[in-house]
């Protein structure tokens, strides 16, 4: 899964937050995936750093279970669903440049046009992206692209598997793709439209905190009740990215 590089800050916020009792209800996984992981066949990913990756995986697992998931459940319980959805829509709308560029680099000019249409409709009729009006317009529907997917569509393999502290599973290709995405998006540096560092960091924290419940559900879906959770997450990540590249 592609994870934000602001997770360390978000975890710090979570540690200092006042945690309420956890709730059992989570995000419907159909909102995250159109099909089960097992339905996508992907070649095994090279994992030459497995020993180190497993150690980081165990560390992340403790952080997620002891800090991130309780905080995410509390956030989902306290913040009204319309507010959580509206915030998510705004930040998703702001990521239009990276999706547009990724489509262009794949030669998917029709999809790039649809992304542009979504952005214009949601930014105007959707009041800055709070309401995702484009969801009601079938002619504007397209797959979600990032630069890691673009490189995958060129035939570039993962390189090798990585587990990053706090950030979770990725690959050398997708990790590099994240930097390209950030380069063209309006919130992160270097192309940020926000000059003040503290304001920019605040927005990144809000963005990630709002995504945390979905990310924790995604992690649980990858991890499941496997005999070897490390392998389960690695295989699920590989299958998910293979499906996204193929779309």
């Amino acid at each position: 899964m592609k994870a934000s590089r602001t997770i360390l800050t978000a975890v710090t916020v979570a540690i200092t937050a006042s945690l309420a009792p956890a709730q059992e209800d989570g995000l419907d996984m159909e909102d995250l995936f159109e099909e089960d992981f097992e339905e996508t066949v992907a070649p095994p990913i090279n994992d030459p750093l497995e020993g180190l990756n497993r150690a980081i995986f165990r560390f992340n697992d403790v952080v997620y279970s002891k800090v991130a998931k309780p905080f995410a459940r509390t956030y989902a319980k306290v913040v009204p669903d319309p507010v959580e959805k509206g915030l998510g829509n705004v930040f998703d709308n702001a990521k239009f440049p990276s999706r547009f560029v990724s489509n262009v680099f794949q030669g998917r000019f029709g999809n790039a046009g649809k992304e542009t249409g979504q952005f214009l409709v949601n930014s105007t009729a959707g009041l800055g992206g709070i309401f995702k009006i484009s969801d009601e317009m079938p002619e504007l529907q397209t797959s979600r692209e990032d630069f890691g997917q673009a490189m995958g569509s060129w035939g570039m393999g993962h390189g090798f598997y990585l587990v990053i502290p706090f950030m979770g599973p990725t690959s050398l290709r997708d990790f590099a793709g994240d930097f390209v995405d950030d380069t063209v998006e309006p919130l992160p540096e270097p192309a940020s439209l926000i000059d003040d560092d503290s304001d920019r960091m605040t927005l990144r924290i809000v963005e990630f905190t709002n995504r945390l419940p979905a990310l924790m559900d995604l992690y649980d879906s990858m991890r499941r009740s496997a005999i070897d959770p490390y392998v389960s997450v690695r295989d699920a990540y590989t299958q998910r990215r293979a499906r996204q590249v193929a779309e």
Side-chain angles (χ1 to χ4, degrees), residues 82-155:
V83 174
E84 185 177 346
K85 184 176 182 179
L87 281 172
N89 287 344
V90 169
F91 287 115
D92 183 67
N93 193 54
K95 294 180 182 297
F96 154 73
S98 67
R99 295 193 296 268
F100 178 85
V101 169
S102 297
N103 275 301
V104 168
F105 271 86
Q106 293 178 74
R108 297 180 174 182
F109 301 110
N111 285 351
K114 291 179 180 179
E115 284 288 354
T116 302
Q118 288 184 28
F119 176 74
L120 293 175
V121 168
N122 294 332
S123 298
T124 54
L127 303 178
I130 295 175
F131 302 103
K132 204 169 184 181
I133 307 298
S134 62
D135 282 351
E136 307 302 322
M137 306 174 71
E139 66 274 15
L140 293 180
Q141 300 311 301
T142 184
S143 59
R144 315 300 277 178
E145 300 294 326
D146 57 57
F147 206 77
Q149 290 170 244
M151 290 189 287
S153 72
W154 301 339

Side-chain angles (χ1 to χ4, degrees), residues 79-245:
V79 177
D81 289 344
V83 174
E84 185 177 346
K85 184 176 182 179
L87 281 172
N89 287 344
V90 169
F91 287 115
D92 183 67
N93 193 54
K95 294 180 182 297
F96 154 73
S98 67
R99 295 193 296 268
F100 178 85
V101 169
S102 297
N103 275 301
V104 168
F105 271 86
Q106 293 178 74
R108 297 180 174 182
F109 301 110
N111 285 351
K114 291 179 180 179
E115 284 288 354
T116 302
Q118 288 184 28
F119 176 74
L120 293 175
V121 168
N122 294 332
S123 298
T124 54
L127 303 178
I130 295 175
F131 302 103
K132 204 169 184 181
I133 307 298
S134 62
D135 282 351
E136 307 302 322
M137 306 174 71
E139 66 274 15
L140 293 180
Q141 300 311 301
T142 184
S143 59
R144 315 300 277 178
E145 300 294 326
D146 57 57
F147 206 77
Q149 290 170 244
M151 290 189 287
S153 72
W154 301 339
M156 186 179 298
H158 280 288
F160 53 85
Y161 184 66
L162 290 168
V163 182
I164 309 298
F166 300 106
M167 291 170 57
T170 186
S171 68
L172 183 61
R173 181 197 71 196
D174 292 340
F175 189 67
D178 287 350
F179 284 95
V180 178
D181 290 332
D182 281 354
T183 298
V184 297
E185 289 178 5
L187 189 55
E189 293 183 295
S192 179
L193 300 179
I194 301 170
D195 295 330
D196 187 86
D197 291 343
S198 60
D199 290 345
R200 185 166 54 247
M201 179 59 70
T202 298
L203 286 173
R204 295 301 296 268
I205 292 173
V206 171
E207 175 192 9
F208 184 78
T209 300
N210 195 66
R211 292 179 57 223
L212 195 57
L215 289 176
M216 288 299 98
D217 279 336
L218 170 56
Y219 176 72
D220 283 343
S221 180
M222 286 181 167
R223 191 182 189 282
R224 299 186 174 177
S225 299
I227 296 176
D228 189 342
Y230 173 82
V231 173
S232 177
V233 171
R234 184 184 63 193
D235 291 349
Y237 171 81
T238 307
Q239 292 165 18
R240 178 172 181 256
R241 290 302 285 171
R243 174 173 62 81
Q244 290 174 332
V245 169

